[in-house]
Amino acid sequence: MRLITAHSSRAAGRERLPWCPRALAGVAKATFGTSDVLKVAFATPLATGPWELIHSGAGVASCPQGGRKVLATEGRGADDHGVKSGEWARDPEGLYQHSRGGVITVARLTELGVPSRTCYRRCRPGKQWRRLLPGVLMLNSGEPTRRQLVDAALLYAGPDAVVTGAASCRRHGLKMLPDGTFRVHLLVPLEHKVGSSGHVIVERTTRLPQAVMFSGVPLAPLVRSVLDECRRLGSRQEVSALLAEAVQRGAPLLELFAELDAGSSRGTAIPREALHRIADGARSAAEVDAMKVWRMSGLPEPLWNHELRDENGEYIATADGYFVSAGMAWEVDSYDFHFGKQQYAATVARNARYAAAGIVVLQTLPSRLRTEPKRVAAELVAAYRAAEARMRRAA
């Protein structure tokens, strides 16, 4: 606050003083106002006689010395001076307890006694809080976590919102999701008027699913979440990888097809093609690529995901592809696409059973199916010819 006097010869000296009435000898101070608006007035006696106003503005207050009226002006509030005012300022932890992990709406803060303009003032650059979405802020100025971004999205969209898409797929445990800017895809009832904003994609729907609660977050079921994400992916490889992982984790193919048919037709061409390939027997994205390489080879079509047993009915393995005429199994083995590291020993045991049964095995890394399809096709042909010749000699 600047001190103003009618005597210019004394103004400069007074303006160098700190904003504190105690630093001004002979200055009378009058204050009044509400919890968020501070009104302050100062008056000082002139050397020649009566008191003179040295700070002017809107409003009138009584000067405690001399009994005369002086004008008052609106001073800086609690945020600018560091002076706490109001119950909320005296109990900041109480605000946090009313939030979702530090995320809260301006409407809720207003109910707790925080003026709305104070909320927005505290979200300015360099201030204590951070605005995340319209009407939603974070009670600190740091970088929000993914969970805080999800909570902010739910507070923004309202209590009926359901998380779907990539954010939901991650919470369902899926990993085959593309990297990129974190977005929260929400489903809301058709009659809601809220729109997309910031990191939030809002989709109004007549088919709002029954939410599955996970750590306080309402998620769309796995099938719906996966297909909502697939509709927004433009890469066949990404769609195939995500759908294959979902199937491997237990998403029923019939439910996936039913959801695809029930929803919007927009963006369904690639997911539908990938689902048909999976239904034909491709249980992973790598096996979809394997089918493409097989078509390049010109060999007879193998039995996909075929279960093999020996003469005694003992289980040998389920080959990704089995060429009956050559007695050859083709395995597309990868930690990323097919199994976890803990199953490495099981893979070694599987290969031992193949050898004991006299079955030739060709193992291929899935990355080579995409980066070297012609070379892999040539290796497949060579292995097939060798296995076929071996069978003829054995006969």
Side-chain angles (χ1 to χ4, degrees):
M1 178 181 291
R2 298 179 59 195
L3 303 180
I4 306 171
T5 179
H7 289 263
S8 59
S9 62
R10 305 167 76 182
R14 289 195 180 108
E15 289 187 356
R16 287 196 297 270
L17 293 174
W19 188 85
C20 178
R22 295 178 182 174
L24 301 173
V27 173
K29 172 186 175 185
T31 63
F32 66 99
T34 64
S35 62
D36 64 314
V37 180
L38 179 64
K39 303 285 186 179
V40 183
F42 293 98
T44 184
L46 296 174
T48 57
W51 288 76
E52 181 184 26
L53 173 69
I54 62 171
H55 186 67
S56 63
V60 177
S62 296
C63 178
Q65 298 186 36
R68 66 176 291 185
K69 300 286 186 179
V70 296
L71 294 176
T73 185
E74 180 176 323
R76 290 178 291 184
D79 290 335
D80 299 304
H81 291 306
V83 180
K84 295 182 177 180
S85 61
E87 291 297 326
W88 67 271
R90 288 191 289 271
D91 184 21
E93 184 62 27
L95 293 183
Y96 192 90
Q97 292 174 357
H98 288 279
S99 72
R100 294 182 60 154
V103 179
I104 193 169
T105 64
V106 173
R108 181 63 177 134
L109 285 171
T110 302
E111 292 174 358
L112 296 172
V114 186
S116 59
R117 68 175 182 177
T118 298
C119 295
Y120 292 113
R121 184 167 63 239
R122 285 194 162 213
C123 291
R124 292 173 182 169
K127 294 293 185 178
Q128 302 96 321
W129 297 345
R130 179 170 183 159
R131 178 186 179 274
L132 299 180
L133 289 165
V136 182
L137 54 83
M138 186 170 64
L139 296 175
N140 64 72
S141 58
E143 287 294 325
T145 64
R146 285 187 171 183
R147 174 58 191 264
Q148 287 175 320
L149 292 175
V150 170
D151 286 337
L154 290 169
L155 289 173
Y156 165 74
D160 296 326
V162 176
V163 181
T164 189
S168 178
C169 289
R170 287 188 180 92
R171 282 167 173 74
H172 279 293
L174 301 186
K175 299 178 180 179
M176 302 306 296
L177 294 158
D179 296 327
T181 304
F182 183 75
R183 305 285 185 192
V184 182
H185 185 179
L186 297 179
L187 300 173
V188 299
L190 185 64
E191 61 271 16
H192 282 209
K193 302 303 181 183
V194 64
S196 300
S197 180
H199 66 278
V200 181
I201 301 169
V202 176
E203 180 181 340
R204 294 193 293 273
T205 178
T206 58
R207 300 187 313 108
L208 191 68
Q210 181 67 41
V212 178
M213 298 303 296
F214 181 85
S215 297
V217 177
L219 304 179
L222 176 61
V223 168
R224 179 69 176 271
S225 299
V226 168
L227 289 177
D228 281 345
E229 177 65 11
C230 286
R231 289 188 181 102
R232 294 178 177 272
L233 295 176
S235 165
R236 281 181 167 78
Q237 180 180 333
E238 290 174 346
V239 170
S240 296
L242 183 56
L243 285 172
E245 185 183 15
V247 171
Q248 288 177 335
R249 288 183 175 270
L253 279 169
L254 290 178
E255 290 186 18
L256 287 165
F257 275 113
E259 175 60 35
L260 202 58
D261 292 337
S264 170
S265 60
R266 183 176 57 185
T268 61
I270 295 177
R272 194 177 300 277
E273 176 188 345
L275 274 180
H276 279 295
R277 289 187 180 277
I278 293 173
D280 287 341
R283 305 272 313 171
S284 73
E287 289 160 5
V288 172
D289 293 333
M291 288 183 176
K292 295 178 181 178
V293 170
W294 159 71
R295 290 189 179 94
M296 295 172 60
S297 71
L299 295 174
E301 183 172 6
L303 300 176
W304 301 105
N305 292 299
H306 183 66
E307 184 180 285
L308 296 170
R309 294 184 178 272
D310 62 17
E311 296 175 351
N312 299 320
E314 295 294 327
Y315 177 77
I316 301 173
T318 299
D320 291 331
Y322 181 66
F323 295 87
V324 179
S325 58
M328 185 183 82
W330 187 22
E331 294 286 0
V332 181
D333 288 340
S334 166
Y335 164 64
D336 291 335
F337 286 93
H338 208 66
F339 52 81
K341 289 180 178 178
Q342 70 273 15
Q343 292 177 291
Y344 176 73
T347 302
V348 174
R350 177 204 66 188
N351 290 347
R353 293 194 301 271
Y354 274 137
I359 298 174
V360 175
V361 182
L362 174 64
Q363 293 179 270
T364 303
L365 291 175
S367 58
R368 297 189 63 223
L369 296 172
R370 298 187 300 275
T371 61
E372 304 174 278
K374 292 183 179 179
R375 180 171 295 182
V376 173
E379 292 172 357
L380 184 62
V381 171
Y384 178 88
R385 300 301 182 205
E388 191 178 41
R390 181 172 175 269
M391 284 192 71
R392 284 199 300 266
R393 288 195 300 269

